[in-house]
Amino acid sequence: MASDNIDALLERIDEIDLIENKAWLGELNQRKIAELEFHNRDRDPEFRAKAAESEDSFERFYGNKKYYDTIKRSKAYVDNWIAENARGKVFLDYACGNGHNALHAARSGAKLALGLDVSDVSVQNCRRFAAEQGLSNTRFFQADAENTKLPDNSVDAIMCSGMLHHLDLSYAFPELRRILKPGGKILCLESLEYNPAIKLYRMLTPDMRTDYEKAHILGFKDLRFARRFFDVRNVRYWHVVGYAGGKLTAVASLLDRLDRLFEKVPGVNWMAWIFTFELHKRAE
């Protein structure tokens, strides 16, 4: 993207970021307000510090974090994808949370790494992390993911990491297609809805999720819907049994070997905890 186009994009983000331009906050529906409040609490450093003071409280809100030690392969896949597709490009971390993916894109040589989130606390965290890492090729701003207000065809690559199930896809997919440049692509990483053991875990840990996200974990119907807007490619399944070991390193190697097998078996791989897929916008 030419430097003048980058400047125009940054000017547009400045407009989005103006206090008086945030009238859209008052127009958010109840679902989006609940998401904003939930993630402001979840990512507030003071709240996290207080939660950590009580093991029971911390485990209640963050108990599933121990399972994330088991997803190294899918994390490496995502990190490699970002490094390959962000270098020299305009990259967007869509509903960025604390901005891990945007920061990784910036370190990987993105011309401009953007992150947007409905949570203003998340945006403040992202800006602080970018400053601490000395990254000058980032911009973080508060926005509605279903109506970003970004220009048409303004982004080369997008990462959607564990957040599509928070959104109404009938708005999110058209918005993603609108802002993505022709020939651009999106990597989506989401939980898969079919494993009964994981569904039971979600039921037993209701405070970790909003009511909306619990009811909208992605499945194959959502992939079919995505095909109305994009070419869907490179669907992959991850972690069919590996999470069961938690932090038990003695069994992690065995479970990982089983995962590598099960992830390739049709039908069995539908029990995966996580799946990834790419959305491609056709070149004009």
Side-chain angles (χ1 to χ4, degrees):
M1 177 180 279
S3 61
D4 56 342
N5 289 338
I6 289 281
D7 291 340
L9 177 57
L10 291 173
E11 288 177 7
R12 180 60 184 141
I13 293 171
D14 286 340
E15 294 173 0
I16 296 170
D17 237 1
L18 289 174
I19 298 298
E20 57 265 32
N21 197 49
K22 289 189 176 178
W24 59 269
L25 282 169
E27 300 171 358
L28 294 179
N29 60 32
Q30 190 56 47
R31 168 177 63 87
K32 295 177 183 179
I33 292 171
E35 290 285 340
L36 189 159
E37 292 174 346
F38 180 90
H39 290 101
N40 270 358
R41 182 206 69 184
D42 183 57
R43 295 172 185 139
D44 184 334
E46 291 186 6
F47 171 80
R48 293 181 67 92
K50 290 178 182 178
E53 291 174 1
S54 165
E55 183 177 350
D56 291 340
S57 176
F58 189 82
E59 189 67 13
R60 179 185 178 196
F61 288 105
Y62 303 110
N64 60 337
K65 296 295 188 291
K66 59 180 173 288
Y67 297 111
Y68 285 85
D69 288 342
T70 68
I71 62 170
K72 293 179 181 178
R73 285 188 298 112
S74 58
K75 182 179 184 304
Y77 176 79
V78 169
D79 286 348
N80 290 337
W81 190 95
I82 292 172
E84 292 174 4
N85 290 280
R87 190 174 300 111
K89 302 292 183 61
V90 176
F91 173 90
L92 173 63
D93 191 354
Y94 182 70
C96 62
N98 283 335
H100 166 80
N101 292 316
L103 297 171
H104 176 52
R107 292 191 300 267
S108 299
K111 183 172 289 186
L112 180 62
L114 305 174
L116 68 84
D117 202 282
V118 74
S119 163
D120 54 313
V121 171
S122 298
V123 171
Q124 292 165 12
N125 291 343
C126 292
R127 291 171 176 169
R128 184 175 74 255
F129 297 148
E132 289 171 353
Q133 296 178 34
L135 297 170
S136 60
N137 56 338
T138 64
R139 284 295 301 271
F140 296 98
F141 59 103
Q142 187 182 19
D144 179 354
E146 295 171 11
N147 182 19
T148 66
K149 305 185 187 300
L150 288 171
D152 294 354
N153 306 317
S154 57
V155 180
D156 295 291
I158 300 173
M159 182 71 218
C160 298
S161 182
M163 40 62 58
L164 288 175
H165 61 286
H166 294 269
L167 305 178
D168 183 336
L169 298 182
S170 66
Y171 291 97
F173 282 155
E175 179 68 356
L176 285 164
R177 182 176 63 178
R178 183 186 69 79
I179 64 177
L180 188 64
K181 293 171 65 174
K185 53 187 172 179
I186 303 168
L187 179 63
C188 303
L189 178 145
E190 286 289 329
S191 295
L192 190 59
E193 72 165 332
Y194 302 113
N195 187 308
I198 297 175
K199 291 173 79 168
L200 177 61
Y201 176 76
R202 293 187 189 112
M203 291 176 58
L204 295 174
T205 55
D207 291 325
M208 292 182 185
R209 297 159 201 89
T210 63
D211 291 338
Y212 185 88
E213 67 171 301
K214 283 181 287 191
H216 292 83
I217 304 300
L218 267 65
F220 299 136
K221 66 183 182 303
D222 300 298
L223 283 184
R224 291 193 295 272
F225 184 62
R227 289 189 174 97
R228 299 185 185 184
F229 307 95
F230 302 97
D231 290 336
V232 178
R233 304 180 191 175
N234 300 325
V235 180
R236 298 188 59 166
Y237 304 91
W238 306 89
H239 319 304
V240 179
V241 295
Y243 55 86
K247 291 190 175 183
L248 300 176
T249 55
V251 298
S253 179
L254 172 60
L255 294 177
D256 185 65
R257 289 198 296 272
L258 289 173
D259 269 342
R260 292 172 188 266
L261 171 63
F262 292 156
E263 289 162 4
K264 296 180 174 63
V265 180
V268 176
N269 56 17
W270 296 357
M271 296 297 103
W273 174 17
I274 289 169
F275 74 134
T276 55
F277 54 95
E278 291 182 2
L279 305 176
H280 290 240
K281 182 175 177 176
R282 293 172 184 162
E284 294 177 347

